[in-house]
Amino acid sequence: MKSALVIGTGLIGTSAALALASRGVLVHLADQDPDQARTAAVLGAGTEEPPEEPVDLVIVAAPPAHVAAALADAMRRGLGRGYLDVASVKGGPRRELEALGLDLTAYIGTHPMSGRERSGPLAATSDLFEGRPWVLTPARDTDTEVLNLALELVSHCRGVPVVMDADAHDRAVALVSHMPHLVSSLVAARLEHAEDTAVRLCGQGIRDVTRIAASDPRMWIDILSANPGPVADLLSEVADDLDETVRALRALQSPDEAKRRKGTDGIHEVLRRGNAGQVRVPGKHGSAPRVYETVALLIDDQPGQLARIFADADMAGVNIEDVRIEHATGQQAGLVQLMVEQKAAPGLSAALRERGWTIRQ
Ligand SMILES: NC(=O)C1=CN([C@@H]2O[C@H](COP(=O)(O)OP(=O)(O)OC[C@H]3O[C@@H](n4cnc5c(N)ncnc54)[C@H](O)[C@@H]3O)[C@@H](O)[C@H]2O)C=CC1
Ligand SMILES: O=C(O)C(=O)Cc1ccc(O)cc1
């Protein structure tokens, strides 16, 4: 691929553009809001100049409700050899395009399974898609050349291509993305009017559970509106589980020992099922989760501390597999947890201690 046109230069469009530009692809940037395209260009994602001839691939990264219209417009203007979108839902946009009577052989629906709770080009990074699944939904009549262009995009972004049927994709993302998003929002919503004294106690658990609740509601209304059935079915199952969990908790308050035992069994079953589901969540690069050793350091909130830790780990010849930061409430201090291969942990602890870091046992 030599050239591409990204339409919609927000988080996803600019991240893909940055990755393509860094691999030498000439990227043109367009957005209905010219400020967004200008920002993406300033970040090095490409040029705001419109292409003079058809590009190899047109990438539509606008919100789901605008995808079909933006693709139809680009196709009618003959802006590219191939066309794809990255919307979080796949059945709806294809059906909308079919209803417009367009020839869809040069189009493929795709969805990178990677994102952030922030929007816009300033949140974009060229490595956003690295090691993450990127779903491709070719139809029977999709041109092989277009499928190859999509594969080339995924490869440039260092994603992992996964081929799926569009409707199967929508059911799958209802389970792993859309329903969890609403559950995250519902948990976070309990905090809206909570006492400050309670909120101050928030630890890493609630941070993990509520991270995606910070996302832009407008985008999520679009996503959920395009996949309401499968999400409602799953949430109704969650509601049944919630009812049972409440019953079990009420039983724990009973003076009757037999009822209390039933309550304990009920709660145990919820927690057991949670463990069984959690171990199925894939780890880094989509592989089975691995068990890493954690090396924990106390830091004070000074600029450059993380960079120094990474440089010191690098000098010790240790690859950091994952990192977590816990901020101490109300203090300029925090705890950095470095996840490393089990056999590398003792050496890393010793090396960091030697370089003056406070290692927490
Ligand atoms: N945010 C996420 O975590 C993920 C989002 N997606 C999908 O990627 C697409 C883009 O999402 P984000 O980058 O997060 O949104 P964003 O809000 O960061 O960017 C969307 C951009 O599209 C522009 N836009 C809106 N309508 C347009 C139109 N008709 N023509 C041209 N530009 C238009 C907006 O001005 C904005 O700059 C959506 O379809 C979303 O479902 C896919 C994977 C992850
Ligand atoms: O940040 C996360 O964990 C996400 O799950 C982000 C995300 C949001 C929307 C998508 O369509 C795909 C991925």
Side-chain angles (χ1 to χ4, degrees):
M1 182 191 328
K2 290 196 171 56
S3 60
L5 167 63
V6 174
I7 300 177
T9 56
L11 167 72
I12 301 296
T14 304
S15 295
L18 284 168
L20 290 177
S22 75
R23 310 269 184 268
V25 176
L26 171 60
V27 185
H28 299 269
L29 305 162
D31 197 293
Q32 71 168 19
D33 175 354
D35 283 348
Q36 301 288 77
R38 195 164 314 127
T39 305
V42 169
L43 292 169
T47 170
E48 286 170 89
E49 291 296 318
E52 280 171 8
E53 51 187 52
V55 294
D56 290 327
L57 185 62
V58 174
I59 301 164
V60 172
H66 300 272
V67 160
L71 277 165
D73 177 62
M75 285 177 184
R76 288 189 184 117
R77 290 164 61 199
L79 296 180
R81 287 202 290 135
Y83 300 84
L84 63 75
D85 74 293
V86 295
S88 308
V89 277
K90 298 276 56 95
R94 169 164 279 276
R95 278 188 280 277
E96 275 183 66
L97 287 168
E98 281 167 353
L100 291 170
L102 290 154
D103 170 14
L104 297 185
T105 49
Y107 162 73
I108 181 167
T110 85
H111 180 204
M113 289 308 300
S114 176
R116 299 188 63 182
E117 58 284 5
R118 288 177 54 208
S119 303
L122 289 172
T125 55
S126 65
D127 62 357
L128 185 68
F129 312 109
E130 257 182 44
R132 304 298 303 268
W134 191 316
V135 179
L136 307 177
T137 61
R140 221 170 289 145
D141 57 353
T142 307
D143 271 350
T144 310
E145 190 199 7
V146 175
L147 177 59
N148 283 338
L149 283 165
L151 284 168
E152 209 182 328
L153 166 69
V154 177
S155 158
H156 281 320
C157 295
R158 300 194 200 280
V160 179
V162 178
V163 173
M164 280 179 100
D165 165 75
D167 290 327
H169 162 275
D170 289 356
R171 286 191 298 275
V173 289
L175 176 67
V176 303
S177 180
H178 304 170
M179 176 275 287
H181 195 96
L182 283 172
V183 172
S184 172
S185 297
L186 289 168
V187 174
R190 307 310 308 162
L191 301 179
E192 187 182 5
H193 301 298
E195 296 286 341
D196 285 347
T197 43
V199 174
R200 214 176 290 146
L201 302 184
C202 282
Q204 200 54 44
I206 191 155
R207 279 179 227 273
D208 288 348
V209 172
T210 58
R211 180 180 59 84
I212 49 180
S215 305
D216 183 350
R218 286 166 306 180
M219 173 70 75
W220 276 92
I221 287 170
D222 257 15
I223 293 175
L224 294 166
S225 309
N227 204 17
V231 182
D233 290 347
L234 284 160
L235 262 190
S236 146
E237 289 173 20
V238 173
D240 292 345
D241 284 351
L242 278 178
D243 283 343
E244 262 183 49
T245 310
V246 171
R247 269 197 294 277
L249 287 169
R250 296 286 181 224
L252 285 181
Q253 294 176 303
S254 166
D256 179 336
E257 201 196 322
K259 282 194 182 148
R260 283 205 305 277
R261 209 172 307 125
K262 241 181 121 192
T264 310
D265 289 348
I267 298 297
H268 181 264
E269 185 56 6
V270 172
L271 298 173
R272 185 203 61 74
R273 287 170 59 208
N275 285 163
Q278 199 281 332
V279 291
R280 298 200 63 195
V281 176
K284 197 179 167 193
H285 304 321
S287 57
R290 293 179 58 178
V291 179
Y292 294 121
E293 192 71 31
T294 302
V295 174
L297 301 78
L298 290 169
I299 58 163
D300 45 11
D301 197 7
Q302 301 287 334
Q305 295 250 19
L306 275 182
R308 278 182 44 221
I309 293 171
F310 289 141
D312 290 346
D314 188 35
M315 284 218 335
V318 175
N319 186 30
I320 295 172
E321 306 290 343
D322 211 339
V323 65
R324 275 180 170 215
I325 306 172
E326 267 182 49
H327 299 279
T329 314
Q331 288 177 31
Q332 297 297 310
L335 182 73
V336 175
Q337 295 171 295
L338 305 174
M339 268 62 102
V340 298
E341 291 282 355
Q342 284 177 326
K343 61 180 185 321
L348 179 63
S349 294
L352 292 176
R353 204 174 280 119
E354 207 168 281
R355 297 191 64 82
W357 296 103
T358 307
I359 306 295
R360 209 181 71 171
Q361 299 302 326

